[in-house]
Amino acid sequence: GKKIAEAVKSAVQAEDRSRNVIIFGVEEQDNEIVEEKAAEIFSHLGEKPLVVQSSRMGLVPKAGGKRPIKVVLRGSDHVKQILRKAKNLKDIAACKTVF
């Protein structure tokens, strides 16, 4: 009954979170297309994951602020690949502030 339903719900939530990538340090601009910014960063890593959803997190910052970008991918395998390669971003001039 109830325990099985809770276990399934817990597993689904864990799976949902495993498909998320949070990107910090990306400049914010008016009328930006967040998905394109995320795709550009992924391309620097040699990855082209299927993005289900992407958005900035938190309240709109004061001038010069950089809200994190939350990207939901189709599968957790892409997340693992991206996280494995993320350390290489510091060596890419366009991504020095991104982590």
Side-chain angles (χ1 to χ4, degrees), residues 17-35:
R17 279 195 298 274
S18 74
R19 298 180 320 162
N20 295 348
V21 174
I22 310 295
I23 306 170
F24 296 90
V26 179
E27 292 289 333
E28 220 171 311
Q29 294 149 343
D30 294 334
N31 303 323
E32 69 182 0
I33 299 174
V34 177
E35 190 168 334

Side-chain angles (χ1 to χ4, degrees), residues 10 20 22 35 37 52 64 71 76 81 87 91-92 99:
S10 176
N20 295 348
I22 310 295
E35 190 168 334
K37 291 200 173 223
V52 176
V71 184
S76 58
Q81 278 292 107
K87 64 183 182 298
D91 301 325
I92 300 166
F99 59 97

Side-chain angles (χ1 to χ4, degrees), residues 28-99:
E28 220 171 311
Q29 294 149 343
D30 294 334
N31 303 323
E32 69 182 0
I33 299 174
V34 177
E35 190 168 334
E36 285 179 8
K37 291 200 173 223
E40 182 182 335
I41 290 163
F42 296 149
S43 73
H44 285 300
L45 298 174
E47 293 291 321
K48 285 190 130 190
L50 193 60
V51 175
V52 176
Q53 180 184 355
S54 59
S55 60
R56 290 277 183 175
M57 297 170 60
L59 300 172
V60 177
K62 294 186 173 78
K66 301 175 190 170
R67 291 181 293 167
I69 297 174
K70 176 183 176 185
V71 184
V72 180
L73 303 178
R74 171 64 54 91
S76 58
D77 292 343
H78 284 296
V79 173
K80 290 174 187 153
Q81 278 292 107
I82 289 165
L83 292 177
R84 254 186 238 118
K85 295 179 176 182
K87 64 183 182 298
N88 302 330
L89 286 172
K90 68 182 183 308
D91 301 325
I92 300 166
C95 298
K96 281 221 182 299
T97 63
V98 177
F99 59 97

